[in-house]
């Protein structure tokens, strides 16, 4: 893309205005007073609990169904167009290895089908986490492995190390403290959102052969996690939250389910149906989905013991999540009578879920979980893309990932930005920019390659999204720009689909895995693209803004030739080179 075309009069006006308003503010301003944190009641209640654990921390924000998803569903519903099958033959045009595809199953797959099982297209391994607490890592690795297989048109799954994900994100080792670890210990469980930070910040994924699974979580030396990175996630989506409450019969079976979002607003039946179609579409196109349940309540399994069961449905809204599983398909006609008496759902239908306790447990390693289960649709993540290491350096402040949203309901458009320090004696070519989005949005990427000035006359537009991107993380290729100065600035213009402007931030939260977060004092936001406010100096109720950063990553290469995609390399350092963002 070319540099922005700004006529001379407009340029003069902008420069004049920049002098009058002091573009980059060091303190609060009129804009700072108008933003707030988007915190759910569930998260606020959790903050008040005394005994917090790493696995029960809920999302602090609500992810809602997009207007376009609901419109597509309603249009197809009205036209009875339920035969929009994916034409895999078009997708694989020019690829010779047709024998590695089960084209018959793939071509016929549609999100409108009543049944789909990913095993019809892929050779999925059933694995066993043994006595470890690595369920979250097993689920995320399976989401990555199935995504790589589907998007590369092969039936065989690669194998990535759950053990490395667990250890690399933990704190205490035999010989010291991991400077890049979360405030969590091996054996304490983990959250998918933390694992996704690991998959995007340059720590992983690592091949299983580099750090094989062991049925223990013993302390090891720091040097044992120093492994070559084989894959990084380029895109993931956070699906809309579906919260549930129940009206139950005297025997405990469900009479009626009330569906709500994380803010307590009731969903319509059409909204719920559209959100489930979004999940199904991802399963067909991009692979498995990571989710969580409450696994330690035997009353909700249909067998005499949990591990001899084939079906599960929890209709108790007081339970908390304690186990991650992997959605690999669905069956709309799975009978409600297959579930345990006293915990039967009110309707048919279930997700087909892969567990991580081997083939001898559950239904050959799988479990049917009712659509009505209390937690199954509460917090779902899907990986949409990955690549081999094709960069030499990542500049980032959001090493641990965004877990909060700041913004306003008053406008759809806004800006967030970061200024990065660099060694000006070395060659750096910007190739990609990663952003974590708080809502479905379009983005435009601007860079000042020479210094940290963020006025419009100093910025060059280098890239943009192709339409609206989903809530989650996305790495956007940009026109290659050589960085020249000891500083450079990245500005992201965001236009949200839902008419509100919220941006994602990484934040310190005491008593959680995020208590290690610190700020580099180089994160900014703007409501008008003219006045930029320093996030560190902005006061927002409920947020530790002095220890917060915006979610922007800058990927660079050190020569004009990109790193060979066939030869994974270990990135120099997944932090700002002059001063690491992690303690």
């Amino acid at each position: 893309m070319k540099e922005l075309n700004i006529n001379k009069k407009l340029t003069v006006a902008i420069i004049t205005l920049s002098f009058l308003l002091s573009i980059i503010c060091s303190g609060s301003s009129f804009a700072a007073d108008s933003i707030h944190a988007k915190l759910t009641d569930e998260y606020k209640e959790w903050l008040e609990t005394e005994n917090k654990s790493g696995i029960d921390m809920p999302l602090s924000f609500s992810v809602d169904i997009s207007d376009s998803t609901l419109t597509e569903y309603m249009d197809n519903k009205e036209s009875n167009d339920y035969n929009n099958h994916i034409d895999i033959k078009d997708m694989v045009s020019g690829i010779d290895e047709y024998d590695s595809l089960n084209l018959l199953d793939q071509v016929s797959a549609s999100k409108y089908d009543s049944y789909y099982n990913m095993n019809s297209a892929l050779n999925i391994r059933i694995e066993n986490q043994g006595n470890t607490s690595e369920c979250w890592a097993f689920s995320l690795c399976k989401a990555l492995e199935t995504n790589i297989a589907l998007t590369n048109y092969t039936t065989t799954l690669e194998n990535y190390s759950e053990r490395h994900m667990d250890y690399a994100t933990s704190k205490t080792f035999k010989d010291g403290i991991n400077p890049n670890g979360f405030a969590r210990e091996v054996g304490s469980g983990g959250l998918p959102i933390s694992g996704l930070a690991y998959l995007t910040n340059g720590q992983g994924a690592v091949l299983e052969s580099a750090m094989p699974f062991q049925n223990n979580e013993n302390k090891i030396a720091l040097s044992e996690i120093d492994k070559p990175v084989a894959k990084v996630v380029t895109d993931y989506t956070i699906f809309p939250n579906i919260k549930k409450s129940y009206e139950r019969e005297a025997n405990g079976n469900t009479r009626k389910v009330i569906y709500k979002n994380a803010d307590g607003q009731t969903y319509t039946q059409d909204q719920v149906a559209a959100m489930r179609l979004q999940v199904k579409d991802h399963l067909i196109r991009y692979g498995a989905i990571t989710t969580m349940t409450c696994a330690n309540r035997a009353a909700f399994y249909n067998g005499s013991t949990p591990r001899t069961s084939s079906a599960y449905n929890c209709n108790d809204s007081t339970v908390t999540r304690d186990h991650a599983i992997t959605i690999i398909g669905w069956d709309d006609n799975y009978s409600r009578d297959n579930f345990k008496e006293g915990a039967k759902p009110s309707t048919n239908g279930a997700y087909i879920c892969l567990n991580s306790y081997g083939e001898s447990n559950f239904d050959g390693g799988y479990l049917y979980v009712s659509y009505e289960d209390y937690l199954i649709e509460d917090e779902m993540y899907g990986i949409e893309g990955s690549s081999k290491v094709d960069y030499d350096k990542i500049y980032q402040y959001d090493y641990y990932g965004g877990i909060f949203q700041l913004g306003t309901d008053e406008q759809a458009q806004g800006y967030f930005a970061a200024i990065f320090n660099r060694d000006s004696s070395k060659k750096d070519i910007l190739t990609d920019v990663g952003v974590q989005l708080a809502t479905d949005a379009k983005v435009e990427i601007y860079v000042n390659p020479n210094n940290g000035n963020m006025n419009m006359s100093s910025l060059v537009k280098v890239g943009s999204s192709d339409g609206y991107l989903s809530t989650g993380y996305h790495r956007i290729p940009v026109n290659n720009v050589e960085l020249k100065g000891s500083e450079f600035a990245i500005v992201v213009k965001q236009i949200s689909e839902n008419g509100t402007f919220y941006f994602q931030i990484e934040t310190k939260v005491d008593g959680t895995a995020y208590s290690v977060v610190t700020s580099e004092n180089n994160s900014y936001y703007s409501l008008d693209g003219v006045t930029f406010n320093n996030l560190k100096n902005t006061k927002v109720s409920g947020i530790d803004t002095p220890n917060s950063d915006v979610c922007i990553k800058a990927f660079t290469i050190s020569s004009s030739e990109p790193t060979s995609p066939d030869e994974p390399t270990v990135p120099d350092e997944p932090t700002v080179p002059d001063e690491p963002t992690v303690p």
Side-chain angles (χ1 to χ4, degrees), residues 297-299 301-311 340 361-362 367:
R297 302 287 288 271
Y301 291 91
N302 69 341
S304 57
T305 66
R307 294 202 184 191
T308 59
S309 299
S310 59
K340 188 172 183 177
N361 291 295
F362 303 97
L367 192 65

Side-chain angles (χ1 to χ4, degrees), residues 200-213:
T200 56
N201 66 15
Q203 282 184 293
V206 164
L207 288 171
E208 176 72 11
S209 57
M211 192 168 180
F213 174 78

Side-chain angles (χ1 to χ4, degrees), residues 386-519:
S386 68
S387 77
K388 293 185 178 180
V389 176
D390 55 356
Y391 56 86
D392 292 308
K393 196 179 296 295
I394 308 177
Y395 293 90
Q396 60 185 333
Y397 298 126
D398 61 325
Y399 191 84
Y400 300 104
I403 56 170
F404 284 89
Q405 297 180 351
L406 298 185
T408 176
D409 295 318
E410 304 303 318
Q411 61 189 65
Q413 180 175 298
Y415 304 77
F416 55 99
I419 298 172
F420 297 101
N421 299 315
R422 60 176 297 273
D423 184 348
S424 58
S425 68
K426 296 183 178 180
K427 189 170 185 177
D428 257 336
I429 298 173
L430 180 70
T431 60
D432 298 83
V433 172
V435 295
Q436 192 175 342
L437 297 178
T439 184
D440 289 21
K442 296 177 181 177
V443 296
E444 297 174 1
I445 309 297
Y446 297 84
V447 62
N448 178 349
N450 302 311
N451 53 57
N453 194 340
M454 292 186 289
N455 64 55
M456 189 60 71
S457 62
S458 300
L459 297 172
V460 179
K461 183 178 178 181
V462 292
S464 62
S465 62
D466 183 13
Y468 288 103
L469 300 173
S470 62
T471 302
Y473 172 81
H474 301 279
R475 185 173 138 187
I476 300 164
V478 299
N479 292 340
N480 290 5
V481 176
E482 185 171 354
L483 306 175
K484 299 289 183 65
S486 60
E487 290 184 333
F488 68 97
I490 300 288
V491 176
V492 178
K493 178 181 179 181
Q494 177 180 306
I495 307 99
S496 302
E497 183 180 2
N498 65 4
T500 66
F501 170 63
Y502 286 91
F503 59 99
Q504 204 83 12
I505 62 169
E506 173 199 66
T507 307
K508 180 179 181 180
V509 184
D510 290 331
T512 75
Y514 296 89
S515 63
V516 294
V517 172
T518 60
S519 175

Side-chain angles (χ1 to χ4, degrees), residues 141 144 160-161 164 198-199 203-207 228-233:
C141 284
L144 174 62
Y160 291 92
S161 172
H164 188 266
Y198 157 93
L199 290 170
Q203 282 184 293
V206 164
L207 288 171
V229 176
K231 273 288 192 296
V232 291
V233 166

Side-chain angles (χ1 to χ4, degrees), residues 4 71 142 154 191 224 296 337 345 412 517 574:
L4 287 175
T71 299
K142 200 62 66 185
T154 179
L191 289 170
E224 294 184 59
N296 65 359
D337 292 325
V517 172

Side-chain angles (χ1 to χ4, degrees), residues 145-190:
E145 291 161 3
T146 55
N147 172 260
I148 293 169
L150 284 177
T151 56
N152 286 277
Y153 318 112
T154 179
T155 61
T156 302
L157 270 61
E158 296 178 359
N159 197 355
Y160 291 92
S161 172
E162 295 83 11
R163 186 173 174 84
H164 188 266
M165 183 183 293
D166 188 9
Y167 278 81
T169 57
S170 66
K171 197 72 177 172
T172 308
F173 286 71
K174 275 183 178 180
D175 52 349
I177 299 299
N178 178 9
N180 296 328
F182 285 78
R184 60 170 294 273
E185 300 296 340
V186 168
S188 63

